[in-house]
Amino acid sequence: MILHYRQPADDWNGALPLGNGHLGAMVWGGLRAERIDLNEGTLWSGDGPVSVDAPPPGALDRVRELLRRGRWHDAQVLMETHFTGRSPEAYQPLGTLSVERLDRPAGAGERYCRALDITSGLHTVTQAGEQREVFVSHPDRVLVLRWRADEDTVWRVALTSPHPGLTRVWNAGTGGFTVDGRGPLTVHPQPTYGPGRGVGFHVGMRVCGDDVTSGPDGLQVRGRTLTVYLTASTSFRTWKARPDDRHAAGRCTAWLDAAQALGFGALRTRHVVDVTTRMQRVHVDLGPDRQIKTPTDRRVAAVRAGATDPGLHALHVQYGRYLLLCASRPGGQPANLQGLWNPHVQPPWCSDYTLNINTPMNYWPAEVAALPECAAPLHTLSTELSVAGQAVAHEWYGAGGWAAHHNTDLWRMATPTDGSASWACWPLGGAWLALHGWEAYRFRPEQDVLERVWPALSGAARFALDWLVTRPDGTLGTAPSTSPENTFLDAQGRVCAVGVSSSLDLDLIREVCGAAQQALDILGLADEAFRVQLDDALNHLPRPTPGRSGARREWAHDPPPAEPGHRHLSHLYALFPGALVPENDHATREACQRALDDRLSHGSGHTGWSAAWIAALHARLGDGAGLHTALTRVLAQSTHDNLLGDHPPFQIDANFGAAAALLEGLLHSHLGSPDRAWLRLLPALPPAWPDGAVRGLRARGGLEVDLTWRGGQLTRVSLQRRSGAPAQPIDLHYRDHHVTVTVPPDQPLTLGPTLTPLPSDPLPLETA
């Protein structure tokens, strides 16, 4: 699983990513100079949490009265006057490591190859007379660069940062070089810095060679081998307080001392083992990869020109897994809009956590793609935001539990952003986040998993209960309500965003309350009042029905859309990523299909993440051809040559969404329950992939699943229990075949195409 190129990157969007969940690096691979752009996961603008004044008393009641009278536009004006806040803070670049060969090596550029092996996390550059290797180690918290030349040479090593006021120190005794600085207090409307304020950062570097000296524009290193060890830390302590940790330099010194003591070889081995053991949990083979020797950028260009390349789809899904492993590790921050990599002091959309689709999409593949530990930062975010959001729920809405809105940041902002009500006035971001915790339990049904996520889940459900209002017909709904980030037309033709009971609101509330209801029983909690509230809400919560066109409606009053081809598909949450549409609910599935077709006919899917969501919807609908078309669209229209997603500009959610969508086309497990697993095999296999195999997929119910197929037909399935009760029944479906089986904890169960038992031996893969 290698991305490779015959030329260096010519801009940041062509560089290749490395990361360990804390330190991110984009490696350019120049002919005579290496440029590595750096990020550290806790380097954001801001100087601690900031409060925003709550709306005046009675404002919410006035909004609801306007909505009862159908005055949508007036309600929106009032919402934007009283129920909007401030922009989130922005994720920041750390700096740039530059290493230049001062002599012009003979044959520079000859036999040039730049490659990223995503199985091992190693970036290499080879050309006549030299070899380079770079990796970022999670076990040892360092970036390591080694550059070997065939003859004595001279390198210049420099470390810069876009932030002003840097302090640089060179220690000739250790070969150490440090840079200290501070991030901005804010970037709105322009970057603003304050003495002694903002997130402080420390970058430590050790440079090893035959002779290392300091010059006016960096270090000079002589010899045949150059080795650089680099790490970074910041003054960030916690989202609750100002960033005043003074031990960043000490941490970096300790990490660098340990790294130098281990040496390059041991560091490399420890890093490779760490990455390989996780990447090799899942194998994806969509048929013989006949283009494996073709440079990756040429493969992408061929797909843009209309070529079919199953091997590139397989590489793309594994690349999504690799990016998640690089960007999100326990103890670090969650993957943001750009994962872990951002070169801008004022990045697009602040490179923040956008909760109305983008942050959740980042974690769609975590469980099914066997990287559950990578979701730990997201669950931590939910827990921290559930604390920050309690005051928001109470002070802004008079509700219990906790609320979060469209965006959050390092400081766990739970209030609305500024700007249009279409994105700012949506208080159910907490519900969507909390449901990821419930999904973690569904994939790994272990008591301790549920206990960890219960505070966020229960708090989100309590807010949802208080957010509901009783409608004239006795059912429950939401008012005000938005459908992120969409708008509709009122009777006067004005563009409006605020209505009542959007489908997304009802779907999220049904799921989060249903999850809390089940969790109460599983945990054996004696909270009868809460249980009664949940039961009553679920009994009175309507299910969205088809609108005038027969498509699943987006708002309760079914208005005409202002933008028929809108990129968001919030009204289809129930289908994916939700699990509210059973296979035998043909009416709802048809309404979802019509809604999807309607959006596509008007041009939806024009951003990378939107096309990935469309692919996942096709997978849930069992449409393999539609899945393949959508995934090809992601590659052809929304992917850079380095395979990073392109919104445009670069945004990483398309990588994660496409990976999850592809795997969803091979395995469904969403309709099970805590006491009974349910699997459908090859539910949306594209005709373009008639032969293939996958190994190591995870399914809800604590199962690991291997599949092979030939000629578009399942030939073998192997199930292995990873967690959960061994006696739990599993409903297994493939086309017209259905069996109920149990899987013991210590051995796999292997079945043939008619779901009858076969000898349990390993599944072959066509390609590595």
Side-chain angles (χ1 to χ4, degrees):
M1 296 187 289
I2 297 175
L3 287 72
H4 59 104
Y5 305 82
R6 295 302 180 190
Q7 70 285 329
D10 56 10
D11 61 19
W12 191 92
N13 286 318
L16 294 172
L18 302 172
N20 63 6
H22 304 276
L23 183 65
M26 292 291 286
V27 188
W28 291 46
L31 293 179
R32 57 176 295 185
E34 186 58 85
R35 171 173 174 165
I36 304 176
D37 290 315
L38 303 167
N39 292 93
E40 205 282 339
T42 58
L43 181 55
W44 288 64
S45 62
D47 193 42
V50 177
S51 61
V52 177
D53 291 338
L60 184 59
D61 290 336
R62 294 197 296 274
V63 169
R64 285 173 169 164
E65 176 58 28
L66 290 170
L67 292 172
R68 277 193 291 271
R69 296 161 59 189
R71 293 173 58 181
W72 318 116
H73 190 268
D74 293 339
Q76 177 168 331
V77 171
L78 194 56
M79 287 293 291
E80 291 177 344
T81 300
H82 296 303
F83 289 87
T84 55
R86 62 177 185 86
S87 294
E89 293 304 336
Y91 184 50
Q92 292 295 296
L94 176 66
T96 297
L97 171 65
S98 302
V99 183
E100 182 181 5
R101 214 176 145 171
L102 297 182
D103 60 327
R104 178 66 180 174
E110 293 181 6
R111 302 189 299 280
Y112 175 95
C113 181
R114 172 172 64 112
L116 172 61
D117 185 339
I118 61 175
T119 305
S120 61
L122 296 174
H123 181 286
T124 57
V125 173
T126 58
Q127 58 181 329
E130 63 177 58
Q131 303 85 36
R132 257 175 277 166
E133 192 165 66
V134 186
F135 58 90
V136 178
S137 167
H138 179 261
D140 296 296
R141 287 290 288 262
V142 291
L143 176 149
V144 182
L145 177 149
R146 172 157 288 192
W147 192 331
R148 293 182 180 274
D150 289 350
E151 57 188 6
D152 286 343
T153 190
V154 180
W155 290 276
R156 179 169 54 218
V157 181
L159 188 58
T160 59
S161 173
H163 304 293
L166 301 178
T167 301
R168 296 178 171 89
V169 176
W170 155 246
N171 186 323
T174 64
F177 186 80
T178 62
V179 172
D180 289 275
R182 287 189 177 271
L185 294 175
T186 187
V187 298
H188 311 298
Q190 297 295 327
T192 302
Y193 295 82
R197 298 180 61 195
V199 179
F201 60 87
H202 179 90
V203 186
M205 182 170 65
R206 302 279 174 85
V207 180
C208 305
D210 291 346
D211 180 51
V212 183
T213 57
S214 176
D217 52 359
L219 308 179
Q220 284 199 0
V221 184
R222 298 178 182 274
R224 292 193 176 190
T225 300
L226 164 69
T227 305
V228 177
Y229 305 98
L230 181 146
T231 192
S233 189
T234 77
S235 63
F236 174 79
R237 289 189 298 118
T238 170
W239 64 272
K240 300 178 184 179
R242 290 193 61 222
D244 58 1
D245 186 341
R246 301 180 181 181
H247 301 293
R251 285 191 293 272
C252 290
T253 297
W255 292 331
L256 290 171
D257 286 346
Q260 275 194 293
L262 283 168
F264 176 83
L267 287 169
R268 185 184 188 278
T269 298
R270 286 160 58 87
H271 163 74
V272 169
V273 169
D274 172 70
V275 175
T276 301
T277 54
R278 289 163 174 80
M279 288 300 298
Q280 289 185 344
R281 290 173 185 169
V282 170
H283 295 266
V284 180
D285 166 20
L286 302 179
D289 191 350
R290 298 183 177 89
Q291 304 298 320
I292 194 169
K293 295 184 179 180
T294 303
T296 305
D297 53 332
R298 297 181 192 175
R299 297 180 74 169
V300 175
V303 170
R304 291 176 187 144
T308 298
D309 190 344
L312 187 59
H313 284 288
L315 179 63
H316 195 232
V317 72
Q318 292 285 24
Y319 192 52
R321 296 181 66 243
Y322 166 80
L323 292 171
L324 189 58
L325 187 63
C326 289
S328 184
R329 291 290 196 106
Q333 296 298 310
N336 59 50
L337 279 177
Q338 294 175 275
L340 187 62
W341 305 276
N342 161 49
H344 307 291
V345 174
Q346 290 182 292
W349 302 287
C350 299
S351 192
D352 66 9
Y353 303 110
T354 304
L355 305 183
N356 62 18
I357 179 60
N358 312 93
T359 299
M361 184 179 284
N362 283 357
Y363 288 90
W364 284 356
E367 298 289 345
V368 67
L371 292 173
E373 64 268 48
C374 292
L378 182 72
H379 303 320
T380 300
L381 170 66
S382 297
T383 299
E384 294 174 346
L385 202 53
S386 72
V387 177
Q390 289 176 12
V392 175
H394 175 69
E395 296 169 8
W396 285 62
Y397 305 114
W402 65 283
H405 292 75
H406 162 239
N407 295 111
T408 191
D409 55 21
L410 181 71
W411 311 108
R412 304 314 185 232
M413 182 184 85
T415 52
T417 63
D418 52 1
S420 168
S422 67
W423 59 73
C425 301
W426 179 71
L428 290 174
W432 200 331
L433 275 184
L435 284 166
H436 275 262
W438 174 244
E439 281 291 276
Y441 171 74
R442 293 189 67 199
F443 274 92
R444 291 172 283 132
E446 301 163 5
Q447 191 89 350
D448 64 323
V449 174
L450 189 54
E451 288 172 350
R452 284 196 298 270
V453 304
W454 172 246
L457 178 63
S458 60
R462 291 181 190 277
F463 173 77
L465 292 171
D466 288 348
W467 184 238
L468 289 168
V469 297
T470 302
R471 303 174 66 182
D473 62 359
T475 63
L476 296 174
T478 56
S481 177
T482 59
S483 186
E485 302 169 14
N486 208 354
T487 53
F488 58 87
L489 300 176
D490 69 4
Q492 291 75 44
R494 293 174 296 187
V495 176
C496 302
V498 180
V500 296
S501 297
S502 71
S503 291
L504 178 63
D505 281 4
L506 299 183
D507 293 337
L508 282 173
I509 291 173
R510 180 174 294 280
E511 280 217 321
V512 78
C513 288
Q517 184 186 58
Q518 295 178 71
L520 276 173
D521 292 333
I522 296 165
L523 295 174
L525 299 176
D527 192 337
E528 193 59 31
F530 188 26
R531 189 187 309 276
V532 169
Q533 284 183 292
L534 292 167
D535 291 346
D536 183 66
L538 290 168
N539 287 333
H540 290 87
L541 196 65
R543 294 184 184 272
T545 57
R548 287 167 295 180
S549 66
R552 196 171 200 257
R553 68 179 68 205
E554 193 149 0
W555 285 274
H557 67 295
D558 197 27
E563 186 183 342
H566 198 266
R567 63 197 177 278
H568 281 254
L569 298 114
S570 302
H571 56 322
L572 297 180
Y573 171 93
L575 183 64
F576 190 99
L580 294 173
V581 185
E583 287 195 330
N584 60 1
D585 186 351
H586 303 297
T588 301
R589 290 175 69 85
E590 175 63 23
C592 290
Q593 181 72 67
R594 289 194 180 191
L596 178 58
D597 291 344
D598 185 58
R599 281 288 166 86
L600 288 172
S601 70
H602 289 93
S604 187
H606 48 281
T607 67
W609 61 261
S610 181
W613 196 353
I614 287 167
L617 292 166
H618 281 298
R620 280 282 169 91
L621 288 167
D623 179 5
L627 169 63
H628 185 263
T629 297
L631 290 175
T632 301
R633 185 177 184 182
V634 172
L635 282 174
Q637 299 181 17
S638 300
T639 299
H640 291 289
D641 286 348
N642 63 359
L643 296 190
L644 287 179
D646 187 20
H647 180 278
F650 160 58
Q651 202 165 286
I652 205 167
D653 37 30
N655 290 98
F656 300 132
L662 188 151
L663 300 180
E664 192 69 29
L666 305 179
L667 178 66
H668 285 177
S669 66
H670 58 290
L671 295 178
S673 65
D675 58 359
R676 192 177 189 94
W678 181 98
L679 277 66
R680 183 169 290 282
L681 313 175
L682 303 182
L685 179 66
W689 306 334
D691 303 316
V694 290
R695 186 167 69 232
L697 299 189
R698 302 297 168 87
R700 294 166 185 87
L703 301 169
E704 181 176 314
V705 183
D706 301 343
L707 301 167
T708 55
W709 64 94
R710 297 292 179 267
Q713 303 288 327
L714 179 72
T715 58
R716 184 174 296 186
V717 54
S718 179
L719 307 177
Q720 190 162 359
R721 181 161 294 286
R722 291 295 181 182
S723 61
Q728 182 193 59
I730 303 162
D731 290 325
L732 198 62
H733 303 259
Y734 172 65
R735 297 191 177 175
D736 295 331
H737 304 292
H738 165 244
V739 298
T740 299
V741 299
T742 59
V743 178
D746 55 349
Q747 62 184 25
L749 173 67
T750 304
L751 305 172
T754 59
L755 305 185
T756 54
L758 291 174
S760 180
D761 55 351
L763 295 181
L765 289 172
E766 292 293 334
T767 59

